[in-house]
Amino acid sequence: MVTSPPLSRLLDRTADAVAAVRAGRSLTDALAAVDDELRPGVLALSSDVMRRLGTAQALRETLAPRAPPPAVEALLLSALALLLPREGEAPYADHTLVDQAVDAARQRAPASAGFVNAVLRRFLRERASLVEAVCHQGVAAFNHPLWWIERVRHDWPTSWRELLAADNQAPPMVLRVNARRGSAAEYVQRLLAIGRAAQVVGPQAVWLVSPCPVSQLPGFAEGDVSVQDVSAQRAAPLLLAAGLAPTARVLDACAAPGGKTAHLLELADVDVTALDVDAVRLQRVQQGLQRLRLHAHIVCADARAVASWWDGRPFDAVLLDAPCSASGVVRRHPDVRWLRRAQDVASLVRVQAELLEALWPTVASGGVLLYVTCSIFRAEGEQQIDAFLQRRGAHGAQRDASAPGHLLPLPDNGSQAPAPVAGDGFFYALIRKPAP
Ligand SMILES: C[S@@+](CC[C@H](N)C(=O)[O-])C[C@H]1O[C@@H](n2cnc3c(N)ncnc32)[C@H](O)[C@@H]1O
């Protein structure tokens, strides 16, 4: 019989993960240290807490104006976040959650149990008025840092509220069916046959209505299918539609963990070099390609140091899926907003510009560069590309109208997917190097 772990243990580990993020570590890093048996539960709870952390923090400051020690504060923030009113059914009854949080407090810091109990029970008694008092604006209302709220409001003056709200939703699970091994419609039938509701939402994209571990997906180990958001599935078709010959040489300049590399190779017999600066992440490219039975030349290098890795033969196409703020994928990485600092965006913009400049000479005349970020910040999308095109001049580089520019993670973002499957926020610009 499989027994689920006690909630107090899950809350204890969730509080550790929340404390780690508040100290600047990513949730992925923090969860790596959690026992396998607890990890799925802690991931679900800590993701939920990340989406409500601004409100929970404001409530803690109201209920206990003097901050308790960090380990106790992280537990209190976790419990407060999980006790907040929500759409739909709460995962735990209020009193169960409070009792279990007090048990967790006894394990973490025995002397704090009475304090945690008193704060949480007062919160339950006065929940509606306390929430109303803190939630009128700012970090507590939108659950993002102030600088982030201001940036989104500045960049998207008519949809900033929807964008911030979308970040606090659970993301849809979307699959990419390996075009070499079947169609999206066929894969939906395979899922339906095992009782999993699913729907075609793009040329190779299937929305799995209830997410599940990949080990439960038919043919996953054999390479029939991968997990990839519907907006991320735009990259490979956009590049291939730019008129590449079947034998074209393609550089995927920031390739890891390899989703877009694999998609390209599933669709065409092109010759792909998958480059990334991070050797550990590159291993995931190799493993993914092995599972899918595909091949690319794998190179570990800083793409900006072109002389260190390029043999001088131009590429017909370069995919630059540049490092960015990840502001378009906050649904999937709910800790990102709390980890980034305002000044990080400026340094990322600088690196993106350096990558564009360094890689442009590697593009063949008549060839293309597809610039991609999973960001909704204009500085990392439209403004970055405008500046690049200005530096090149009209004769040096031309923007192709086939790429969509900014895709927002909202239902009408042109991803062909139905409303619950709005794709992630991305930016796509295709730039052609004129033939002489
Ligand atoms: C957005 S991710 C790429 C995602 C990947 N294209 C995919 O679809 O799975 C950005 C990648 O850029 C890599 N990177 C960052 N700076 C780099 C540089 N200077 N040269 C090469 N790769 C770099 C990071 O290690 C990271 O793997």
Side-chain angles (χ1 to χ4, degrees), residues 228 232 252-261 275-278 281 301-304 319 321-324 351 355 372 374:
Q228 189 179 43
D252 187 350
C254 291
K260 299 182 187 74
T261 314
L275 184 142
D276 203 283
V277 74
D278 185 329
R281 281 168 66 87
D302 184 329
R304 292 170 297 184
L319 170 58
D321 188 9
C324 71
V351 172
L355 283 162
V372 186
C374 55

Side-chain angles (χ1 to χ4, degrees), residues 71-380:
V72 177
E73 184 174 27
L75 177 66
L76 211 44
L77 291 173
S78 304
L80 287 168
L82 296 167
L83 286 168
L84 282 170
R86 64 179 66 222
E87 278 173 28
E89 209 184 320
Y92 300 100
D94 291 344
H95 286 95
T96 307
L97 212 136
V98 173
D99 289 347
Q100 296 290 305
V102 174
D103 272 0
R106 265 187 215 108
Q107 290 158 36
R108 295 173 78 74
S112 72
F115 163 75
V116 169
N117 187 40
V119 169
L120 295 181
R121 290 199 193 275
R122 181 179 157 208
F123 177 62
L124 281 191
R125 283 194 307 274
E126 300 173 32
R127 180 162 44 191
S129 58
L130 284 167
V131 171
E132 202 190 309
V134 300
C135 264
H136 43 90
Q137 62 179 346
V139 183
F142 295 107
N143 285 297
H144 288 70
L146 266 188
W147 70 266
W148 188 300
I149 298 170
E150 287 311 320
R151 191 176 265 274
V152 177
R153 181 159 44 183
H154 176 268
D155 282 1
W156 304 103
T158 59
S159 49
W160 64 278
R161 286 171 188 277
E162 289 85 346
L163 286 167
L164 294 173
D167 284 350
N168 293 329
Q169 304 297 314
M173 182 167 178
V174 179
L175 309 175
R176 185 190 74 240
V177 179
N178 183 348
R180 292 185 185 267
R181 301 184 52 105
S183 71
E186 284 162 359
Y187 198 74
V188 165
Q189 292 309 316
R190 287 173 74 182
L191 288 168
L192 294 178
I194 57 163
R196 292 205 174 276
Q199 196 177 321
V200 174
V201 291
Q204 283 84 40
V206 168
W207 169 43
L208 193 61
V209 176
S210 302
C212 73
V214 290
S215 56
Q216 292 173 20
L217 295 173
F220 181 82
E222 292 75 33
D224 294 356
V225 72
S226 303
V227 177
Q228 189 179 43
D229 177 75
V230 71
S231 293
Q233 292 190 39
R234 300 284 287 266
L238 271 170
L239 256 194
L240 294 169
L244 296 189
T247 53
R249 293 183 72 239
V250 181
L251 170 69
D252 187 350
C254 291
K260 299 182 187 74
T261 314
H263 194 193
L264 261 174
L265 290 164
E266 287 169 4
L267 293 177
D269 292 317
V270 284
D271 178 7
V272 176
T273 298
L275 184 142
D276 203 283
V277 74
D278 185 329
V280 176
R281 281 168 66 87
L282 262 180
Q283 287 171 10
R284 291 176 58 197
V285 180
Q286 188 64 62
Q287 288 156 0
L289 293 179
Q290 255 162 22
R291 181 179 63 83
L292 295 160
R293 296 175 223 180
L294 299 167
H295 172 77
H297 311 283
I298 297 202
V299 180
C300 187
D302 184 329
R304 292 170 297 184
V306 170
S308 73
W309 57 266
W310 190 41
D311 63 7
R313 284 190 302 147
F315 293 100
D316 303 297
V318 171
L319 170 58
L320 171 54
D321 188 9
C324 71
S325 61
S327 58
V329 291
V330 182
R331 295 181 305 179
R332 297 187 193 280
H333 303 285
D335 52 334
V336 145
R337 70 193 101 180
W338 306 118
L339 295 169
R340 292 264 181 270
R341 301 283 167 258
Q343 58 272 28
D344 295 343
V345 180
S347 35
L348 286 161
V349 168
R350 216 166 23 250
V351 172
Q352 291 153 7
E354 287 166 8
L355 283 162
L356 277 164
E357 289 301 327
L359 291 168
W360 187 244
T362 73
V363 179
S365 295
V368 290
L369 182 146
L370 181 64
Y371 173 78
V372 186
T373 56
C374 55
S375 173
I376 60 166
F377 296 157
R378 286 184 187 270
E380 299 181 282

